[in-house]
PDB file of all heavy atoms in Angstrom:
ATOM      1  N   TRP A  34     -29.205  22.399  35.361  1.00  0.00           N
ATOM      2  CA  TRP A  34     -28.820  23.790  35.635  1.00  0.00           C
ATOM      3  C   TRP A  34     -27.532  23.840  36.457  1.00  0.00           C
ATOM      4  O   TRP A  34     -26.613  24.597  36.135  1.00  0.00           O
ATOM      5  CB  TRP A  34     -29.943  24.518  36.370  1.00  0.00           C
ATOM      6  CG  TRP A  34     -29.538  25.879  36.870  1.00  0.00           C
ATOM      7  CD1 TRP A  34     -28.928  26.175  38.067  1.00  0.00           C
ATOM      8  CD2 TRP A  34     -29.660  27.120  36.175  1.00  0.00           C
ATOM      9  NE1 TRP A  34     -28.685  27.525  38.170  1.00  0.00           N
ATOM     10  CE2 TRP A  34     -29.119  28.128  37.029  1.00  0.00           C
ATOM     11  CE3 TRP A  34     -30.183  27.488  34.937  1.00  0.00           C
ATOM     12  CZ2 TRP A  34     -29.091  29.478  36.660  1.00  0.00           C
ATOM     13  CZ3 TRP A  34     -30.150  28.832  34.575  1.00  0.00           C
ATOM     14  CH2 TRP A  34     -29.607  29.805  35.425  1.00  0.00           C
ATOM     15  N   ASN A  35     -27.455  23.041  37.511  1.00  0.00           N
ATOM     16  CA  ASN A  35     -26.277  23.054  38.381  1.00  0.00           C
ATOM     17  C   ASN A  35     -25.023  22.586  37.646  1.00  0.00           C
ATOM     18  O   ASN A  35     -23.936  23.135  37.843  1.00  0.00           O
ATOM     19  CB  ASN A  35     -26.525  22.187  39.617  1.00  0.00           C
ATOM     20  CG  ASN A  35     -27.553  22.798  40.554  1.00  0.00           C
ATOM     21  OD1 ASN A  35     -27.604  24.010  40.727  1.00  0.00           O
ATOM     22  ND2 ASN A  35     -28.385  21.964  41.152  1.00  0.00           N
ATOM     23  N   LYS A  36     -25.175  21.595  36.804  1.00  0.00           N
ATOM     24  CA  LYS A  36     -24.028  21.142  36.007  1.00  0.00           C
ATOM     25  C   LYS A  36     -23.605  22.227  35.023  1.00  0.00           C
ATOM     26  O   LYS A  36     -22.407  22.498  34.845  1.00  0.00           O
ATOM     27  CB  LYS A  36     -24.378  19.862  35.252  1.00  0.00           C
ATOM     28  CG  LYS A  36     -23.237  19.333  34.373  1.00  0.00           C
ATOM     29  CD  LYS A  36     -23.576  17.976  33.776  1.00  0.00           C
ATOM     30  CE  LYS A  36     -22.521  17.541  32.762  1.00  0.00           C
ATOM     31  NZ  LYS A  36     -21.149  17.519  33.319  1.00  0.00           N
ATOM     32  N   ALA A  37     -24.574  22.870  34.408  1.00  0.00           N
ATOM     33  CA  ALA A  37     -24.280  23.911  33.420  1.00  0.00           C
ATOM     34  C   ALA A  37     -23.637  25.136  34.068  1.00  0.00           C
ATOM     35  O   ALA A  37     -22.714  25.726  33.507  1.00  0.00           O
ATOM     36  CB  ALA A  37     -25.566  24.321  32.692  1.00  0.00           C
ATOM     37  N   GLN A  38     -24.097  25.528  35.265  1.00  0.00           N
ATOM     38  CA  GLN A  38     -23.536  26.732  35.883  1.00  0.00           C
ATOM     39  C   GLN A  38     -22.072  26.528  36.252  1.00  0.00           C
ATOM     40  O   GLN A  38     -21.242  27.425  36.081  1.00  0.00           O
ATOM     41  CB  GLN A  38     -24.364  27.160  37.099  1.00  0.00           C
ATOM     42  CG  GLN A  38     -24.070  26.491  38.393  1.00  0.00           C
ATOM     43  CD  GLN A  38     -24.777  27.136  39.587  1.00  0.00           C
ATOM     44  OE1 GLN A  38     -25.375  28.213  39.491  1.00  0.00           O
ATOM     45  NE2 GLN A  38     -24.716  26.470  40.721  1.00  0.00           N
ATOM     46  N   LEU A  39     -21.741  25.326  36.710  1.00  0.00           N
ATOM     47  CA  LEU A  39     -20.352  25.055  37.052  1.00  0.00           C
ATOM     48  C   LEU A  39     -19.489  25.006  35.792  1.00  0.00           C
ATOM     49  O   LEU A  39     -18.360  25.501  35.765  1.00  0.00           O
ATOM     50  CB  LEU A  39     -20.256  23.739  37.827  1.00  0.00           C
ATOM     51  CG  LEU A  39     -18.888  23.390  38.409  1.00  0.00           C
ATOM     52  CD1 LEU A  39     -18.376  24.506  39.308  1.00  0.00           C
ATOM     53  CD2 LEU A  39     -18.954  22.073  39.172  1.00  0.00           C
ATOM     54  N   GLU A  40     -20.032  24.421  34.734  1.00  0.00           N
ATOM     55  CA  GLU A  40     -19.292  24.323  33.472  1.00  0.00           C
ATOM     56  C   GLU A  40     -19.022  25.707  32.885  1.00  0.00           C
ATOM     57  O   GLU A  40     -17.901  26.001  32.438  1.00  0.00           O
ATOM     58  CB  GLU A  40     -20.095  23.475  32.486  1.00  0.00           C
ATOM     59  CG  GLU A  40     -19.403  23.248  31.161  1.00  0.00           C
ATOM     60  CD  GLU A  40     -20.208  22.345  30.248  1.00  0.00           C
ATOM     61  OE1 GLU A  40     -20.586  21.238  30.676  1.00  0.00           O
ATOM     62  OE2 GLU A  40     -20.463  22.762  29.100  1.00  0.00           O
ATOM     63  N   VAL A  41     -20.022  26.568  32.903  1.00  0.00           N
ATOM     64  CA  VAL A  41     -19.862  27.919  32.359  1.00  0.00           C
ATOM     65  C   VAL A  41     -18.828  28.699  33.165  1.00  0.00           C
ATOM     66  O   VAL A  41     -17.962  29.379  32.594  1.00  0.00           O
ATOM     67  CB  VAL A  41     -21.219  28.659  32.358  1.00  0.00           C
ATOM     68  CG1 VAL A  41     -21.018  30.150  32.084  1.00  0.00           C
ATOM     69  CG2 VAL A  41     -22.138  28.066  31.302  1.00  0.00           C
ATOM     70  N   LEU A  42     -18.875  28.593  34.483  1.00  0.00           N
ATOM     71  CA  LEU A  42     -17.911  29.310  35.314  1.00  0.00           C
ATOM     72  C   LEU A  42     -16.494  28.826  35.049  1.00  0.00           C
ATOM     73  O   LEU A  42     -15.562  29.634  34.929  1.00  0.00           O
ATOM     74  CB  LEU A  42     -18.259  29.122  36.796  1.00  0.00           C
ATOM     75  CG  LEU A  42     -19.493  29.865  37.295  1.00  0.00           C
ATOM     76  CD1 LEU A  42     -19.789  29.471  38.740  1.00  0.00           C
ATOM     77  CD2 LEU A  42     -19.309  31.372  37.180  1.00  0.00           C
ATOM     78  N   LYS A  43     -16.301  27.525  34.959  1.00  0.00           N
ATOM     79  CA  LYS A  43     -14.965  26.984  34.687  1.00  0.00           C
ATOM     80  C   LYS A  43     -14.453  27.448  33.328  1.00  0.00           C
ATOM     81  O   LYS A  43     -13.276  27.812  33.178  1.00  0.00           O
ATOM     82  CB  LYS A  43     -14.997  25.455  34.739  1.00  0.00           C
ATOM     83  CG  LYS A  43     -15.157  24.875  36.133  1.00  0.00           C
ATOM     84  CD  LYS A  43     -15.209  23.364  36.081  1.00  0.00           C
ATOM     85  CE  LYS A  43     -15.324  22.749  37.464  1.00  0.00           C
ATOM     86  NZ  LYS A  43     -15.401  21.267  37.399  1.00  0.00           N
ATOM     87  N   ASN A  44     -15.333  27.434  32.337  1.00  0.00           N
ATOM     88  CA  ASN A  44     -14.920  27.854  30.996  1.00  0.00           C
ATOM     89  C   ASN A  44     -14.603  29.347  30.936  1.00  0.00           C
ATOM     90  O   ASN A  44     -13.780  29.780  30.128  1.00  0.00           O
ATOM     91  CB  ASN A  44     -16.010  27.519  29.976  1.00  0.00           C
ATOM     92  CG  ASN A  44     -16.108  26.028  29.709  1.00  0.00           C
ATOM     93  OD1 ASN A  44     -15.170  25.285  29.969  1.00  0.00           O
ATOM     94  ND2 ASN A  44     -17.249  25.575  29.226  1.00  0.00           N
ATOM     95  N   HIS A  45     -15.234  30.133  31.799  1.00  0.00           N
ATOM     96  CA  HIS A  45     -14.958  31.569  31.813  1.00  0.00           C
ATOM     97  C   HIS A  45     -13.723  31.890  32.644  1.00  0.00           C
ATOM     98  O   HIS A  45     -13.084  32.925  32.422  1.00  0.00           O
ATOM     99  CB  HIS A  45     -16.168  32.325  32.355  1.00  0.00           C
ATOM    100  CG  HIS A  45     -17.292  32.446  31.375  1.00  0.00           C
ATOM    101  ND1 HIS A  45     -18.281  33.393  31.461  1.00  0.00           N
ATOM    102  CD2 HIS A  45     -17.589  31.718  30.259  1.00  0.00           C
ATOM    103  CE1 HIS A  45     -19.126  33.257  30.455  1.00  0.00           C
ATOM    104  NE2 HIS A  45     -18.729  32.235  29.714  1.00  0.00           N
ATOM    105  N   LEU A  46     -13.378  31.036  33.583  1.00  0.00           N
ATOM    106  CA  LEU A  46     -12.167  31.246  34.367  1.00  0.00           C
ATOM    107  C   LEU A  46     -10.918  31.000  33.531  1.00  0.00           C
ATOM    108  O   LEU A  46      -9.914  31.703  33.659  1.00  0.00           O
ATOM    109  CB  LEU A  46     -12.153  30.312  35.589  1.00  0.00           C
ATOM    110  CG  LEU A  46     -12.909  30.777  36.831  1.00  0.00           C
ATOM    111  CD1 LEU A  46     -13.011  29.640  37.842  1.00  0.00           C
ATOM    112  CD2 LEU A  46     -12.235  31.988  37.461  1.00  0.00           C
TER     113      LEU A  46
END
Side-chain angles (χ1 to χ4, degrees):
W34 171 273
N35 291 323
K36 179 173 173 56
Q38 84 171 351
L39 187 56
E40 183 177 307
V41 168
L42 288 174
K43 288 179 178 179
N44 288 340
H45 284 201
L46 276 170

